[in-house]
Amino acid sequence: MGAQLRVYKRRIKSVTATKKITKAMEMIAASRIVKAQRQVAASTPYATELTRAVTAVATGSTTKHPLTTEAETPTRAAVLLVTSDRGLAGGYSSNAIKAAERLTERLRGEGKEVDTYIVGRKGVAYYGFRERKVTDSWSGFTDSPTYADAKQVAAPLIAAVQQDTAEGGVDELHIVFTEFVSMLTQTPVQHRLLPLSLTQTSAGAAEESGTKGEIRPLFDFEPSAEDVLDALLPRYVESRIYNALLQAAASKHAATRRAMKSATDNAGDLIKSLSRLANAARQAEITQEISEIVGGASALADATAGSEN
């Protein structure tokens, strides 16, 4: 019985240590969420206004730019998948990977070849384990991305869009990431970044600004509209990718906090259960010891009475 009690005590000690770790990770993730939310709020207006500027240039000119013009028969697309470098975040990375796989299947069903770009070690490990081709990948900054990281990711994607498909370029650029909705809700989403859909973008911008139906002004571009687009569109892609990285980081921290809170609660429940079992084992041990003492005393008394007779 004493051996069983020692087993329970060792398990309680082990679970208690695990609970301390998960509680600390929960608190760290909670503190990082606030910073990530502020970064998302700060980057979103810039990305939105830059999108409006690109839309104004594209709709205010007749220039056919490769980054705003739909291909007649698109044959190749690039998909950028944003995952995390670390685990312990529930289904955060797996949900984003599933969304990317659904998008890839849809694009292939439309007869397009798909080049996959991945941010985060979890996505790289998933594709590597299944021996799937990855065009390029980045890692090491998913918890706290910077604009420099976004530029690093955007550079080969912009080059691929500008390159002819016969030489390995792509006709479309899609991004899959986890959008931060609230502390309890993070949703995997996919957007097409390029070619820029002018109709949808214009409608969205009009609804946000409350200028639906307003007559657009005429623009005169110097040195040319094409040069303006060449300068604006890379910034547009970089800002959108940066905003997606920040959204993904906030979502990852929220998922980690939720997972660690669940682990901490489960550890607490397990400690209570083990404590009850340990108490029961201890009570049984005490009862057995008392029974042995009483039995020994009774046997001793009987032996003493027999010797006297």
Side-chain angles (χ1 to χ4, degrees), residues 15-269:
V15 175
T16 301
T18 302
K19 181 181 178 181
K20 291 180 180 178
I21 295 173
T22 56
K23 184 63 176 179
M25 295 181 67
E26 177 189 349
M27 296 176 66
I28 291 172
S31 65
R32 289 178 175 176
I33 292 174
V34 178
K35 181 180 178 181
Q37 284 181 295
R38 291 174 181 172
Q39 290 179 319
V40 171
S43 68
T44 299
Y46 173 77
T48 301
E49 291 301 324
L50 191 55
T51 302
R52 290 178 180 175
V54 173
T55 304
V57 177
T59 56
S61 68
T62 58
T63 301
K64 297 296 182 181
H65 195 275
L67 300 186
T68 57
T69 305
E70 295 273 357
E72 294 182 1
T73 55
T75 59
R76 199 178 190 90
V79 175
L80 174 62
L81 168 62
V82 181
T83 61
S84 67
D85 289 326
R86 303 179 183 180
L88 301 178
Y92 166 78
S93 292
S94 61
N95 291 336
I97 291 172
K98 290 177 183 178
E101 288 185 331
R102 289 193 296 268
L103 174 61
T104 300
E105 291 177 2
R106 179 173 65 82
L107 293 174
R108 287 175 178 168
E110 297 173 357
K112 303 171 185 174
E113 296 183 25
V114 179
D115 291 343
T116 303
Y117 297 78
I118 300 178
V119 174
R121 295 191 184 97
K122 287 298 180 180
V124 174
Y126 178 89
Y127 277 74
F129 179 77
R130 289 158 180 77
E131 298 182 349
R132 298 180 182 177
K133 181 182 177 182
V134 176
T135 305
D136 204 349
S137 63
W138 303 265
S139 61
F141 54 80
T142 57
D143 283 351
S144 183
T146 63
Y147 196 83
D149 298 323
K151 290 185 68 174
Q152 181 185 359
V153 174
L157 295 170
I158 295 172
V161 173
Q162 292 175 329
Q163 192 174 14
D164 189 74
T165 53
E167 300 176 356
V170 297
D171 297 311
E172 297 177 358
L173 171 58
H174 300 259
I175 184 171
V176 179
F177 64 98
T178 305
E179 183 179 26
F180 182 86
V181 180
S182 67
M183 295 289 287
L184 299 177
T185 306
Q186 299 85 44
T187 308
V189 296
Q190 63 88 14
H191 297 300
R192 192 184 78 172
L193 296 183
L194 296 175
L196 184 62
S197 179
L198 300 180
T199 303
Q200 295 180 357
T201 305
S202 300
E207 290 179 0
E208 291 180 2
S209 60
T211 57
K212 189 173 182 180
E214 181 181 353
I215 299 176
R216 296 182 177 275
L218 297 177
F219 292 92
D220 187 18
F221 305 104
E222 292 292 343
S224 67
E226 185 174 0
D227 291 334
V228 174
L229 287 175
D230 287 337
L232 283 180
L233 280 168
R235 304 295 177 270
Y236 159 77
V237 175
E238 292 168 2
S239 65
R240 283 300 178 184
I241 291 179
Y242 180 52
N243 185 261
L245 292 176
L246 293 176
Q247 293 266 7
S251 299
K252 190 269 179 184
H253 295 318
T256 298
R257 189 200 66 83
R258 188 169 62 252
M260 291 301 98
K261 184 179 187 307
S262 177
T264 302
D265 294 342
N266 291 338
D269 294 339

